[in-house]
Amino acid sequence: MELTSLIAVAIPYAAIAIFLIGFSYRIVRWSLSPVPFRIPTVCGQQKSLPWIKAGYLESPWTRMGVVARMALEILLFRSLFRNTRAELRQGPKLSYLESKFLWLGALAFHWSFLVILLRHLRFFLEPVPAFVGAIEAADGFFQVSLPVLYLTDVVILVALGYLLARRIWNAQARYISLPSDYLALALLIGLAGTGVIMRYFTRVDVIAAKQFALGLATFSPVAPENLGVMFYAHLFTLSALIAYLPFSKLVHMGGVFLSPTRNLANDNRARRHVNPWNYPVKVHTYQEWEDEFREKIAAAGLPLERQ
Amino acid sequence: MRDRGWIYSGLGLFLILVTYPFWQNLRAGVTSKGPDLRRPAEAKQCVMPVSYMRTSHMDLLASWRENAVRDGVRTFQSADGQTYNVSLSGTCITQCHASKEEFCDRCHNYASVSNYCWDCHVDPRQAHGSAR
């Protein structure tokens, strides 16, 4: 294998290793931090008396309720849906307005990304499972052009474009944007962009790409043949993204499951929660104290609780 | 603290899922050999260079279709000066690639490409009625 092929093989493997180890490390680190108590910062009524209507999804008190709240959060980004913006209107009047575009853009991006990721299984599995074909058929439903245009390819670029434009043009968002925010967006835009260019414009030998991918996935890598610059750009952007993931804010893909305000049932009043790191405290109860000084208390004529 | 069991199960499940292609391929003994195609017996030269066809044969078919259906252009002149009839079933399948199954389909199954063309067009060699 010549040097370029060696690099093309070594970099993805290194990236995957960094991702698997780094991601596990982050999750394990999080798992070690204690979760002492339920955090009832919710916008729903807590379960209390029977005649007070409690918010089952907003402030769940059962495990099923928590699962439902988590599912809404993870699949539909429910807390982002409540996003508002503050604006000064007619001089000194501060108004709070609904702001759904961020939610819409985020939802469009994440779901497209998931579909694209699943579609890519066609490169890594042989034979290709039927559900991948079903996803492709649904994604290319409108049968526009040849090769068929995938809706998610359009949606992901529009959504990422919006998310980037928002950081640049929205003054408040720009103010709190850090280089790492732009880096994550740049990597994702680069990844989707090179993929789209490769599929619809410069073209790539898909069979050779699959052979290369299968080589990686069977630990018997073969040199990529005539795959062109765009393929390498795509591969290395992806490698950079997954290697960077454990070090970045993108670990929220695992972290969202560990949000204490979302994943703990709000049963503070119904159940007794003992602080898990309580050490056994040596206590001296009033009863014991009274027994200890019984004679002296009686001699002084003070009242005794137990005669 | 009491949630560690949940967290580690979730992490384990995630790791199994993301590495699924690796152990699935190892278990099934998959290799990167590629599809086994039946190349045309008589014809020696394709309408376009092989390297172009590998990546862009759908472009060619799209322009054939466009030209034939919209502009009525039903001949195609290749780079080496030969003239071909513009016809998916007639030229591609019948004249050169004797078998759609062993050529187009094998490759497309390998790359999970669904070809809706055959909803309407037929492979003339196939029994009547079952063309797809």
Side-chain angles (χ1 to χ4, degrees), chain A residues 85-97 172:
Chain A
R85 79 197 136 91
E87 217 171 66
L88 282 178
R89 282 201 166 174
Q90 302 157 353
K93 268 195 203 150
L94 182 66
S95 355
Y96 291 94
L97 304 146
Q172 290 97 326

Coordinates of all heavy atoms in Angstrom, one line a residue, chain A residues 85-97 172:
Chain A
R85 N -38.2 34.6 22.7 CA -37.2 35.7 22.5 C -37.8 37.0 23.1 O -39.0 37.2 23.1 CB -36.8 35.9 21.1 CG -37.7 36.6 20.2 CD -37.4 36.4 18.7 NE -38.6 36.1 18.0 CZ -39.3 37.1 17.4 NH1 -38.9 38.3 17.4 NH2 -40.4 36.8 16.8
A86 N -36.9 37.8 23.7 CA -37.4 39.0 24.3 C -37.1 40.2 23.4 O -36.0 40.2 22.7 CB -36.7 39.2 25.6
E87 N -38.0 41.1 23.3 CA -37.8 42.2 22.3 C -38.4 43.5 23.0 O -39.4 43.4 23.6 CB -38.6 41.9 21.1 CG -37.9 42.3 19.8 CD -38.7 41.8 18.6 OE1 -39.8 42.2 18.4 OE2 -38.1 40.9 17.9
L88 N -37.8 44.6 22.7 CA -38.3 45.9 23.1 C -39.3 46.4 22.1 O -38.9 46.5 20.9 CB -37.2 46.9 23.4 CG -36.5 46.7 24.7 CD1 -35.4 47.8 24.8 CD2 -37.4 46.9 25.9
R89 N -40.5 46.6 22.5 CA -41.5 47.0 21.5 C -42.1 48.4 21.9 O -42.4 48.6 23.1 CB -42.6 46.0 21.4 CG -42.2 44.8 20.5 CD -43.4 44.1 20.0 NE -43.1 43.2 19.0 CZ -44.0 42.4 18.5 NH1 -45.2 42.4 18.9 NH2 -43.6 41.6 17.5
Q90 N -42.3 49.2 21.0 CA -42.9 50.5 21.2 C -42.2 51.2 22.4 O -42.8 51.3 23.5 CB -44.4 50.4 21.5 CG -45.2 49.8 20.4 CD -46.5 49.2 20.8 OE1 -46.8 49.1 22.0 NE2 -47.3 48.7 19.9
G91 N -40.9 51.4 22.3 CA -40.2 52.1 23.3 C -39.9 51.1 24.4 O -39.2 50.1 24.2
P92 N -40.3 51.4 25.6 CA -39.8 50.6 26.8 C -40.6 49.4 27.1 O -40.4 48.8 28.1 CB -39.9 51.6 27.9 CG -41.1 52.5 27.5 CD -41.2 52.5 26.1
K93 N -41.4 48.9 26.2 CA -42.2 47.7 26.5 C -41.4 46.5 26.1 O -41.1 46.3 25.0 CB -43.5 47.7 25.7 CG -44.7 48.4 26.5 CD -46.0 48.0 25.8 CE -47.0 49.1 26.2 NZ -48.0 49.2 25.1
L94 N -41.2 45.7 27.1 CA -40.5 44.4 26.9 C -41.5 43.3 26.6 O -42.3 43.1 27.4 CB -39.6 44.0 28.1 CG -38.8 42.8 27.9 CD1 -37.7 43.0 26.9 CD2 -38.1 42.4 29.3
S95 N -41.4 42.7 25.4 CA -42.3 41.6 25.1 C -41.6 40.3 24.9 O -40.5 40.3 24.4 CB -43.2 42.0 23.9 OG -42.9 43.2 23.4
Y96 N -42.2 39.3 25.3 CA -41.6 37.9 25.1 C -42.4 37.3 24.0 O -43.7 37.2 24.1 CB -41.7 37.1 26.4 CG -40.8 37.6 27.4 CD1 -41.2 38.5 28.4 CD2 -39.4 37.2 27.4 CE1 -40.3 39.0 29.3 CE2 -38.5 37.7 28.3 CZ -39.0 38.6 29.3 OH -38.1 39.0 30.2
L97 N -41.7 36.8 23.0 CA -42.4 36.3 21.8 C -42.0 34.8 21.6 O -40.9 34.4 22.0 CB -42.0 37.1 20.6 CG -42.3 38.6 20.6 CD1 -41.2 39.3 19.9 CD2 -43.6 38.9 20.1
Q172 N -27.7 38.6 19.5 CA -27.5 37.9 20.8 C -26.8 36.5 20.6 O -25.9 36.1 21.4 CB -28.8 37.6 21.5 CG -29.5 38.9 22.0 CD -30.5 39.4 21.0 OE1 -30.3 39.3 19.8 NE2 -31.6 40.0 21.5

